[in-house]
Amino acid sequence: MHFGNPFSHLPGTLAGILVGSRDEAVQAFGEWLDGTAWQEVEPARRLWILENIESLRGKELVCFCAPLLCHGSILAARADCLCSPPAFFSGCRIHSLAGDENASGM
């Protein structure tokens, strides 16, 4: 299992659901985790993420998207405050994969 986003605006990625924009992909990821939409998409992985999100607390996350808007923003905020839904785009700890070698990849 992994913390990746099953939604993407880019064809040819590992994401199974293609949406229209980066914003839509991030929004869909948040709705999916919240259980408010997309529940037919990878339900076992969604449950795994929810059960393991606390393991990300306090870690520096890395993603190819950084510093652009990214599902990692949602993961970082939820891991840190374990609330739903958080104001997940302020105070994010998401860094580019070109950054810190000790960071946790998604």
Side-chain angles (χ1 to χ4, degrees):
M1 294 285 183
H2 59 88
F3 290 100
N5 190 349
F7 308 95
S8 179
H9 65 293
L10 301 172
T13 69
L14 295 177
I17 308 293
L18 190 64
V19 295
S21 69
R22 175 185 305 278
D23 288 346
E24 288 178 51
V26 173
Q27 180 178 345
F29 183 75
E31 293 169 348
W32 180 66
L33 282 185
D34 286 344
T36 60
W38 304 98
Q39 294 311 287
E40 71 283 2
V41 175
E42 298 187 58
R45 187 159 69 86
R46 177 184 171 271
L47 180 59
W48 181 88
I49 290 172
L50 294 172
E51 290 173 347
N52 290 279
I53 199 163
E54 189 171 357
S55 69
L56 300 177
R57 183 181 286 181
K59 293 185 179 175
E60 296 294 321
L61 306 181
V62 295
C63 186
F64 291 104
C65 299
L68 300 173
L69 183 63
C70 160
H71 80 287
S73 303
I74 294 172
L75 289 170
R78 298 221 175 140
D80 286 347
C81 68
L82 294 176
C83 58
S84 179
F88 44 75
F89 300 121
S90 60
C92 295
R93 304 176 281 101
I94 310 302
H95 302 282
S96 172
L97 279 174
D100 185 1
E101 296 173 4
N102 297 319
S104 298
M106 291 184 290

